[in-house]
Amino acid sequence: MSSRRLITPSERSKLDPFVVATGDASPRDQRDLMERPFFSLAKAKRTRPILYQAGDVSVEVYAVPEHGMATIWDADVLIWAASQIVEAENLGLKTSRFLRFTPYQLLIAVGRQTGARDYKLLKGALARLQATVIRTSIRHGEHWRRHQFSWINEWEECARRDGRIEGMEFVLPDWFYRGVIDRSLVLTIDPAYFRLTGGIERWLYRVARKHAGRQPRGWLFEVAHLHKKSGSLVRVSDFALQIRLIAAHQPLPGYSLHIEREGRRELLRILPAKLSTAPVDGAVEAFGTSHANDIGTSYATPSGLRTHALESNLESNLESNCRSGRARLADNAGSSAESSSTKHPSRRRQSLPLLGRTAGDKR
């Protein structure tokens, strides 16, 4: 018998590449990722799994010790990919799960710098996205109950002999791609989202965009319920403190946060404000870098550094989008966020950036 190993061909050999060259694209997010705990909210490495169950909806996220779990900052790569795919389809271009692009395109679009360190952090983000394993029952088929995948199936960089990176390629999982080409499962987001530095801030904005949308009456949540939906490792009391601090600073673009109380229950009301259309003009924190005194929120307190084990079942049998009871029916009944992305009139084409740009060049 031959001792030669069977070599599995790259998935890219079976797919037509989608070369990203559509120019500016409005940021768009995938609805299923906007409210459930798919990512770590901490900048420190997380290896403890996320185990979320709400009725027939389950989300399990597993990390490997070498890389840790993909963070909500790493998710910027997926937001960028979704934005490019939707924009290209709006222009009548053919897309696929196999994306070919320059790192410069991605970094600029999500508000990052383009120095050597930023390219290195991008590669770290891609490694975490590939190493993180997700199992979910969301959007399962008629005869299938659970889907397992990683955020990126494979990726590769193309570099010259002098080390300068000419381009990158990666392949998205079919589960994510199908959720992007279905316009009812995509929402536009404010470009200012990329300037949010805290993990809970970023997650909270995505929840606000998904549920409150542009509804005048907004949406009402019980803080303890939000904690369960976030997958955060901090205690409920520490999470509630961080929510209060975020509400005090009002950092979410397009939304205002208000703390309310009903008996012993603490509530968060999210109301739409004037939506920002300002471009991303400032650098944000790097992809999921580890900081000794930072747990993924710019307002974290020392008590927020204590972590506690999550229960396997993170929610009740009903996956409510807010707290249960009388106020839920009064405030949220008949309300839903926008079900499809907003189309924009801008349809400009732009050529690819120069490939010979050095890693240390300023943008």
Side-chain angles (χ1 to χ4, degrees), residues 66-129:
E66 180 183 358
H67 299 289
M69 185 179 295
T71 71
I72 198 163
W73 296 271
D74 300 337
D76 287 358
V77 173
L78 301 178
I79 293 175
W80 174 82
S83 306
Q84 295 298 327
I85 290 170
V86 172
E87 186 72 9
E89 292 203 336
N90 286 343
L91 294 171
L93 303 176
K94 184 178 179 181
T95 64
S96 80
R97 296 187 292 116
F98 174 18
L99 275 71
R100 181 176 291 163
F101 60 98
T102 65
Y104 178 84
Q105 290 174 298
L106 193 159
L107 291 170
I108 289 296
V110 299
R112 309 297 168 91
Q113 298 291 342
T114 56
R117 179 175 179 270
D118 300 280
Y119 284 89
K120 181 179 179 181
L121 292 172
L122 172 58
K123 289 188 284 186
L126 295 175
R128 283 187 294 274
L129 289 167

Side-chain angles (χ1 to χ4, degrees), residues 14-30:
K14 304 175 183 178
L15 297 170
D16 294 327
F18 164 41
V19 180
V20 176
T22 57
D24 296 334
S26 299
R28 294 172 173 90
D29 208 348
Q30 212 282 319

